[in-house]
Amino acid sequence: MLPLSFDRVMDGQPITSSLPIFRLPIELINHITLYFSPTDLASFALVDRDCRQLARSIQFCDLRMDRDGDAFLEFLELLEAESRDRKNAITLPRFTIGSCVRRVYTHYGPWEYLDRVCVVIRDALPNLCRLDWETAATMSSEMFHCFTSIPLKHLGLKNVRLDHALEVQWARNMRPWALESLVLFVTCYSESDSGVSDEDAVPFTMSLLYQAAPTLSNLVWIGRIDQPYTHSFSESPPCFPNLRDLTLDAIRIDEIVLTALLGPQSCVTSLTVSACHQEMGPFLKSRGCLSSLTHINWISGGLNDHSSMISFIGDNTQLQSLTTTCGLPSATLDRLLPILSRFRELTTLQLTWDEDHIRSESLQLIGSIASLKHLWLSADSRSEWRRTWQVNHVDLAEALFPLTSLETLFLVGDTYATDVHPMLDRPEAYYASRTLPQTVDTTQYFSTEDRVLLESTRDSPERALGPRSQILCRAWEEWHLERMTAFAAQYARRPSQMRLFYLGQISFKYYGDRTVTSTRGETWPQLGKLWQQAVGISAYGY
């Protein structure tokens, strides 16, 4: 989230600094400060009070209130002092930290301070826009009313336990709440009644949806696969005229709720769904074409019968992107791919097999989707360290040859065989063992510094053991990069518009005749961010 403009965090005070930057228009000041590093901001804050407040507007834009210890307690007390001054209409200090905060994120604690944190959120943060509340501590009525009393635009309630009294009291005394985005994953709890279950949170959830429906544009609704109860509206369902992005993850809802969200009046453009409950399948199968829909993200295989999801996808031939972040069996994808080959506007496709290979017939069908610009293929990538998909790059490059508009290609979960010791020659251990083939001259991958280091420890085998191991790992990385570069060249020669290629855990970015490679070893979040930057769509759902 971007920081507030400088005039918004000044609490109505005039700018008095003589620094030249403050003579620029406010909009330019904000653009310039986005390029400041944390060290730059720390130094800038020491110049004068205006500089300090400008630095604060960036440093405290996103505020994590999940720390413990004396430093957190001192910071909390500082915000409490500001909240008391605001509440009592006392003249505030020239500038406040609370005015700079746009987002608050609380994740699993500190539980003993949560009541105080809620009061600070209500009274000390006048410009708060987004609240992400993720804690297993029970949320009381008083705590939640602190949130409803401020003009939040974005609210995330994830893994939150509601006090049973909150559900009853708030459901009866609801008032409109102009939320634009909402994440819902709540359960119910009571200290005095052991018979309270998660189902008792349903009235609270549905009441919240009633009040947010007119303004809501993004809804993420999460449940559990083993959830035994169904969500339903007790009264006539509300309308969601502004809803564009919808995620239904393992949530059990009846046809009335589904119709309110995805019925004839729906304007949803992006749907993330897991068809893991029996109510979802028949609705999707009978829904037909949702003309506003451009993106589907299938996030869980769920039931063994995938025909309802395949039918729903087939009815929406206007789709521009389709992602399957769950591993699907070949039998399912063999039914899906012939349908996708008829799509004419599909530009982004992400497919994940739950097996360690992709059949050549499937690759041929993917190569027939001429409109594709961005393609992610993954097989058996259920963990970051265990890879079993051995890619045949000759066959894959040939199958994708017709895709002349392809700009982005990700091969995730790929691994390779090498001619090493039989105990190490296992594809799933390729990245872990990092062992060069026996036929490779290891020394050609040594740097000058490596050679000097080895020479200096020649007479001391014990001293050479650690450095030699590190040098051999670096040599393997150089050899692996050379090998992946050769594979990438097979695709770069194709008559396409290739801009980004990811294989062997290395990204190749093409800028005309220049190629930039990354260091191997991106984590799942880094890989997802790389894909999202290239395509504009999350690789892992929401």
Side-chain angles (χ1 to χ4, degrees):
M1 182 166 286
L2 293 175
L4 285 166
S5 60
F6 185 51
D7 55 333
R8 293 279 303 279
V9 302
M10 290 290 285
D11 288 320
Q13 301 291 335
I15 298 173
T16 59
S17 175
S18 61
L19 206 67
I21 189 175
F22 292 108
R23 292 198 287 269
L24 296 172
I26 293 293
E27 296 79 6
L28 287 181
I29 294 176
N30 284 87
H31 282 296
I32 292 171
T33 53
L34 290 177
Y35 294 96
F36 285 14
S37 69
T39 304
D40 295 333
L41 288 173
S43 300
F44 188 74
L46 300 176
V47 176
D48 57 34
R49 289 181 296 180
D50 289 347
C51 292
R52 181 178 62 184
Q53 189 68 355
L54 179 55
R56 282 175 169 180
S57 69
I58 302 168
Q59 294 168 324
F60 296 100
C61 176
D62 288 329
L63 188 58
R64 291 183 64 105
M65 301 191 74
D66 57 357
R67 301 289 189 261
D68 206 342
D70 294 340
F72 172 80
L73 201 53
E74 289 177 9
F75 182 69
L76 183 61
E77 290 171 351
L78 174 63
L79 291 178
E80 285 176 329
E82 290 185 7
S83 69
R84 287 192 297 270
D85 291 344
R86 289 181 186 276
K87 189 174 182 180
N88 298 328
I90 297 175
T91 302
L92 289 169
R94 178 169 169 76
F95 301 123
T96 62
I97 292 177
S99 299
C100 303
V101 179
R102 295 204 69 194
R103 178 196 178 197
V104 168
Y105 176 57
T106 299
H107 181 74
Y108 294 113
W111 294 356
E112 63 270 28
Y113 303 131
L114 287 180
D115 287 332
R116 295 168 63 182
V117 169
C118 290
V119 173
V120 162
I121 288 173
R122 182 191 64 194
D123 297 335
L125 312 180
N127 296 318
L128 186 64
C129 178
R130 181 185 184 103
L131 174 62
D132 292 301
W133 192 268
E134 185 173 356
T135 172
T138 303
M139 179 179 288
S140 66
S141 300
E142 293 77 13
M143 292 167 67
F144 195 76
H145 288 150
C146 289
F147 306 157
T148 61
S149 62
I150 57 178
L152 284 174
K153 295 297 182 184
H154 312 279
L155 175 65
L157 300 175
K158 198 169 183 180
N159 296 317
V160 172
R161 293 194 307 174
L162 304 175
D163 186 282
H164 184 250
L166 166 62
E167 170 265 310
V168 174
Q169 180 181 354
W170 198 55
R172 291 175 180 170
N173 300 283
M174 278 294 299
R175 63 182 184 82
W177 200 8
L179 292 174
E180 295 178 6
S181 69
L182 175 64
V183 178
L184 270 177
F185 183 20
V186 298
T187 58
C188 204
Y189 173 78
S190 174
E191 292 184 358
S192 58
D193 186 357
S194 59
V196 171
S197 69
D198 290 349
E199 185 174 1
D200 293 303
V202 171
F204 169 87
T205 300
M206 306 315 286
S207 298
L208 179 52
L209 287 176
Y210 263 114
Q211 299 305 315
T215 56
L216 206 59
S217 63
N218 187 325
L219 172 62
V220 177
W221 197 358
I222 307 170
R224 291 188 174 89
I225 294 178
D226 59 350
Q227 179 179 306
Y229 54 89
T230 302
H231 289 77
S232 182
F233 289 115
S234 59
E235 306 171 14
S236 58
C239 294
F240 294 83
N242 296 300
L243 189 61
R244 297 296 183 269
D245 298 303
L246 174 63
T247 295
L248 301 173
D249 183 3
I251 190 70
R252 195 165 194 163
I253 51 182
D254 65 10
E255 186 175 355
I256 295 175
V257 180
L258 284 167
T259 302
L261 296 170
L262 294 169
Q265 305 302 317
S266 175
C267 296
V268 169
T269 60
S270 176
L271 174 63
T272 298
V273 64
S274 61
C276 59
H277 289 302
Q278 58 185 7
E279 293 85 358
M280 186 71 72
F283 178 84
L284 292 177
K285 194 168 186 176
S286 62
R287 176 59 184 86
C289 178
L290 181 56
S291 59
S292 61
L293 194 62
T294 60
H295 170 63
I296 291 179
N297 184 10
W298 189 353
I299 57 174
S300 173
L303 303 175
N304 291 329
D305 182 13
H306 298 148
S307 58
S308 59
M309 196 68 190
I310 294 174
S311 176
F312 179 65
I313 292 172
D315 289 335
N316 288 272
T317 57
Q318 80 285 356
L319 287 179
Q320 297 176 15
S321 78
L322 171 66
T323 63
T324 63
T325 52
C326 56
L328 295 174
S330 291
T332 297
L333 291 169
D334 287 347
R335 294 166 58 194
L336 178 62
L337 283 171
I339 294 173
L340 296 181
S341 66
R342 301 194 298 267
F343 284 36
R344 295 294 174 262
E345 299 180 41
L346 191 66
T347 59
T348 302
L349 180 62
Q350 178 182 346
L351 296 178
T352 303
W353 278 256
D354 66 357
E355 303 162 9
D356 61 1
H357 67 282
I358 301 176
R359 298 190 312 119
S360 58
E361 293 82 359
S362 299
L363 296 175
Q364 295 294 335
L365 286 169
I366 294 172
S368 68
I369 309 174
S371 57
L372 281 182
K373 293 183 178 180
H374 313 287
L375 177 62
W376 170 308
L377 298 178
S378 179
D380 194 29
S381 58
R382 288 167 288 187
S383 69
E384 293 187 54
W385 60 270
R386 184 179 181 275
R387 312 288 181 157
T388 58
W389 176 32
Q390 296 188 63
V391 182
N392 185 324
H393 287 286
V394 174
D395 290 348
L396 181 57
E398 182 179 351
L400 301 184
F401 187 83
L403 302 180
T404 57
S405 298
L406 196 64
E407 299 177 5
T408 308
L409 176 59
F410 276 51
L411 305 180
V412 180
D414 56 330
T415 189
Y416 304 90
T418 52
D419 181 20
V420 296
H421 191 280
M423 294 187 66
L424 296 175
D425 192 14
R426 294 177 296 122
E428 61 267 28
Y430 177 75
Y431 297 107
S433 64
R434 291 191 290 179
T435 304
L436 286 165
Q438 297 175 352
T439 56
V440 171
D441 178 13
T442 306
T443 60
Q444 66 177 308
Y445 298 102
F446 290 175
S447 67
T448 303
E449 292 78 7
D450 293 336
R451 297 176 190 276
V452 171
L453 180 58
L454 288 175
E455 183 65 27
S456 66
T457 58
R458 175 180 294 182
D459 298 331
S460 179
E462 296 81 6
R463 287 178 53 208
L465 187 60
R468 181 171 178 80
S469 177
Q470 297 175 7
I471 289 170
L472 288 175
C473 285
R474 287 198 293 268
W476 182 91
E477 295 288 356
E478 290 294 326
W479 171 80
H480 173 69
L481 175 59
E482 183 180 276
R483 191 183 191 191
M484 295 303 109
T485 302
F487 287 141
Q490 299 180 34
Y491 300 84
R493 287 194 295 265
R494 298 166 54 257
S496 71
Q497 305 298 318
M498 189 73 75
R499 295 290 180 268
L500 175 61
F501 188 19
Y502 182 89
L503 82 163
Q505 301 184 352
I506 299 173
S507 64
F508 294 81
K509 296 181 180 180
Y510 300 102
Y511 303 92
D513 296 332
R514 186 167 61 95
T515 302
V516 177
T517 60
S518 68
T519 303
R520 187 190 68 83
E522 277 114 348
T523 62
W524 281 115
Q526 291 171 330
L527 180 57
K529 184 177 180 180
L530 184 66
W531 172 261
Q532 190 165 12
Q533 288 173 344
V535 179
I537 297 172
S538 173
Y540 308 124
Y542 50 87

